[in-house]
Amino acid sequence: MTEASLAAPLLIAFAASIGLMLGLAYFHLLRRSVERLAEGRGRAEAAVLALARVAAAVLVLWWLARLGAMALLAGGLGFLLARSLALRSARRAEP
């Protein structure tokens, strides 16, 4: 295998793992914000967390887009996988 033929699969795996990590952090912060708001406290904290979530997602996805369409798609798939994991976790935690 040539160096070029190894680069694309490695880039896709790297981008997917970055998207997964971004998604896990994003949905963790979302859950934390919702819990604070449900408790009736932490409106300012929830606003800061929302801004941080969106800013981080925009920056990471922009960076992946700069790496190319395949990297952006792989990162998006990693993010969607994190969403699925977060939903599964939330459903298990319901009383």
Side-chain angles (χ1 to χ4, degrees), residues 10-30 52-54 56-61 63-64 67 71-86:
L10 290 176
L11 177 64
I12 291 169
F14 173 73
S17 64
I18 293 294
L20 178 64
M21 288 186 288
L22 169 67
L24 291 174
Y26 184 94
F27 291 110
H28 172 75
L29 292 176
L30 178 62
R53 281 193 324 266
V54 171
V58 167
L59 287 174
V60 170
L61 293 174
W63 178 67
L64 288 174
L67 294 176
L72 180 59
L73 287 171
L77 288 175
F79 192 88
L80 287 176
L81 176 61
R83 178 184 175 271
S84 296
L85 295 173

